[in-house]
Amino acid sequence: MADLQPVRGTRDLIGEEQRRHAHVIDTARRVAALYGLEEWATPIFEDTRVFARTLGDTSDVVTKEMYTFEDRGGDSLTLRPENTAGVCRALVSNGLTQSLPQKVFYAGPMFRYERPQKGRYRQFHQIGAELIGPSEPLADAEIIALGWQILEALGVAGDTVLELNTLGDAASRGAYREALVAHFSAHRDVLSAESRDRLERNPLRILDSKDPGDRALVADAPTIHAVLTPEAAAFYDGLRAHLTRLRVPFRENPRIVRGLDYYNHTAFEFVTDKLGAQGAVMAGGRYDGLVAQMGGPAVPAVGWAAGIERLAMLLDAPPVPTAPVAVVPVGGATEEAAALDATQALRAAGIRAEMAYRGNLKRRMERANRIGARAAVLIGEAELARGVVQVKDLATGEQGEVALADLPARLA
Ligand code: ATP
Ligand code: MG
């Protein structure tokens, strides 16, 4: 079994990388709670139908990126490529469409078969937020404000720009579809093969094409604004007004369409120029049709997902673990037993404490320095007889006697 490596596109998170990762989740979880969101955890694999139809059968995710397999019982299962569909499935499965609104936060791994590169993996991780039930643009504004506040709490908001767009309602979208078909049909012969296919099936998707030739045609394409219905325009006006009131800065970008098919009205992305080609850190929008597609009633909803790896890379300084106290027995079994008791007493008092299992005093002190201990507690025979220990401050080198019973209080 020589040379076993993690599977291409997957990574081990160890040390600083895992600390960055955990810091993103902890921060997001804390801020999400301020907005009344509750955390859900749905399964990592689902019936393939949860994703296949709902994400759209012309989306990149469904056509090229899903990890789909048949299990031993012959069922088609898919490792979740995103979690909004799973949350909506869970809403319906658990009868929660009767108890709206549901405000949901989640964090966990997602799986997409993509070409791995910096900031793009086959197993990656997302935090996400969903507001299920409200149809008002205030909900869109609030969920975006939550995203912004998380980016601020992480200290990365200044590295990002919020790009905002509307995809309108069904009527606007129908009209826009026609306008796009007219525009792209006139240049059919220069479109990429993929976009030609999309011209029939989902012309909106062409706006998201990464093909350089397509990009030029996309630049000249009409925007949806000319064909927005008065209702859709009013919704978008409301959203912009609320965002301004909430002091969330944004830039309008009529080209934002999002990669999945289930969006309507609001579409947005927080983008950065600090991560090369992988510029999208947080993305989302309104998806009023998804719960019905999942077999539930018509339930409006809005949400976003953010890539934890990309946010972790943007973090300025990696969070450092709190420095421990090293407990060092000087002597034999009696001192070691006393040291073990002292270590547990410190931990019970909420103080990070570690005790080395072996080695002479010099070795153990070296180890205390290596783990970045702030203090060493030296437990020797003579002192133990008097109920005291030596505490050495490893930053200043100062050393003094402390009563064993006072140890947790003195080191708190
Ligand atoms: P991209 O345009 O970079 O492919 P996307 O539109 O496919 O992103 P979404 O489906 O909107 O991404 O997912 C939301 C967020 O999840 C993205 O903004 C990004 O931060 C992150 N993300 C998506 N795919 C990956 C991946 N393969 N590896 C790491 N992060 C990812
Ligand atoms: Mg993608």
Side-chain angles (χ1 to χ4, degrees):
M1 299 282 271
D3 283 346
L4 283 180
Q5 296 295 320
V7 171
R8 184 168 146 79
T10 71
R11 297 185 320 142
D12 300 310
L13 295 171
I14 296 174
E16 181 189 322
E17 279 199 293
Q18 170 59 13
R19 283 201 300 277
R20 286 174 176 265
H21 197 93
H23 179 67
V24 171
I25 297 175
D26 294 345
T27 304
R29 185 176 275 143
R30 177 174 59 73
V31 179
L34 302 177
Y35 285 70
L37 276 66
E38 270 210 82
E39 187 161 352
W40 288 17
T42 63
I44 280 167
F45 55 86
E46 296 266 1
D47 187 315
T48 297
R49 289 173 296 180
V50 168
F51 309 110
R53 268 173 303 136
T54 55
L55 270 52
D57 50 17
T58 56
S59 70
D60 278 354
V61 171
V62 171
T63 54
K64 299 185 261 192
E65 298 173 2
M66 290 209 307
Y67 277 93
T68 298
F69 60 99
E70 202 173 279
D71 75 358
R72 288 166 194 273
D75 293 324
S76 178
L77 305 180
T78 295
L79 299 185
R80 62 184 190 192
E82 56 97 61
N83 204 26
T84 300
V87 164
C88 290
R89 197 273 308 138
L91 181 88
V92 176
S93 310
N94 291 278
L96 294 171
T97 55
Q98 299 305 312
S99 356
L100 299 174
Q102 291 288 333
K103 304 177 172 190
V104 181
F105 172 78
Y106 63 81
M110 309 293 157
F111 306 86
R112 296 184 192 181
Y113 192 79
E114 303 206 63
R115 196 166 69 76
Q117 50 202 292
K118 184 179 168 228
R120 189 176 295 285
Y121 311 99
R122 290 181 173 174
Q123 174 173 335
F124 62 103
H125 300 77
Q126 287 182 337
I127 48 170
E130 320 284 0
L131 223 51
I132 307 172
S135 57
E136 295 82 0
L138 192 49
D140 306 51
E142 252 205 296
I143 207 84
I144 292 173
L146 163 61
W148 172 249
Q149 193 170 337
I150 290 171
L151 297 176
E152 278 191 315
L154 290 170
V156 305
D159 293 333
T160 70
V161 173
L162 167 58
E163 303 209 316
L164 185 69
N165 192 23
T166 178
L167 304 172
D169 49 16
S172 322
R173 208 153 151 166
Y176 190 40
R177 190 190 155 96
E178 279 174 32
L180 287 177
V181 169
H183 172 75
F184 288 117
S185 295
H187 309 279
R188 201 169 191 288
D189 43 328
V190 284
L191 275 180
S192 67
E194 197 173 23
S195 290
R196 269 205 300 281
D197 176 52
R198 287 166 163 172
L199 190 53
E200 268 89 61
R201 302 212 287 158
N202 189 352
L204 212 68
R205 168 86 50 240
I206 300 175
L207 299 179
D208 210 20
S209 169
K210 279 153 189 146
D211 178 272
D214 291 349
R215 302 292 325 154
L217 293 179
V218 166
D220 297 335
T223 70
I224 198 169
H225 297 283
V227 292
L228 280 183
T229 61
E231 296 76 25
F235 189 100
Y236 190 45
D237 288 345
L239 170 59
R240 284 177 299 178
H242 295 316
L243 283 177
T244 302
R245 164 143 226 118
L246 291 166
R247 285 199 276 280
V248 179
F250 61 89
R251 180 166 79 196
E252 291 181 75
N253 179 351
R255 300 297 168 210
I256 300 272
V257 292
R258 308 292 307 109
L260 309 172
D261 275 358
Y262 49 57
Y263 291 105
N264 65 315
H265 285 302
T266 311
F268 65 90
E269 283 182 1
F270 284 91
V271 296
T272 181
D273 56 13
K274 299 252 152 72
L275 297 177
Q278 274 55 253
V281 293
M282 181 182 283
R286 177 163 280 279
Y287 52 94
D288 292 341
L290 186 55
V291 177
Q293 279 187 56
M294 210 61 79
V299 175
V302 59
W304 53 254
I308 296 177
E309 284 81 359
R310 295 185 194 178
L311 291 172
M313 282 191 281
L314 287 179
L315 291 182
D316 226 359
V320 285
T322 48
V325 169
V327 182
V328 179
V330 187
T334 313
E335 293 76 18
E336 196 167 278
L340 195 55
D341 289 346
T343 308
Q344 284 304 82
L346 288 170
R347 291 169 178 163
I351 297 162
R352 183 176 163 188
E354 293 183 60
M355 180 181 131
Y357 296 154
R358 64 166 69 139
N360 57 22
L361 177 61
K362 181 163 172 274
R363 271 281 145 70
R364 295 202 206 213
M365 288 306 286
E366 277 167 9
R367 191 183 131 76
N369 282 312
R370 203 165 55 241
I371 63 172
R374 58 188 166 99
V377 175
L378 301 161
I379 303 194
E381 192 184 359
E383 281 109 338
L384 208 49
R386 292 190 289 117
V388 298
V389 295
Q390 291 286 328
V391 174
K392 180 171 185 179
D393 184 318
L394 293 177
T396 62
E398 262 171 65
Q399 188 166 327
E401 214 170 78
V402 174
L404 203 44
D406 295 342
L407 200 54
R410 289 287 293 273
L411 288 171

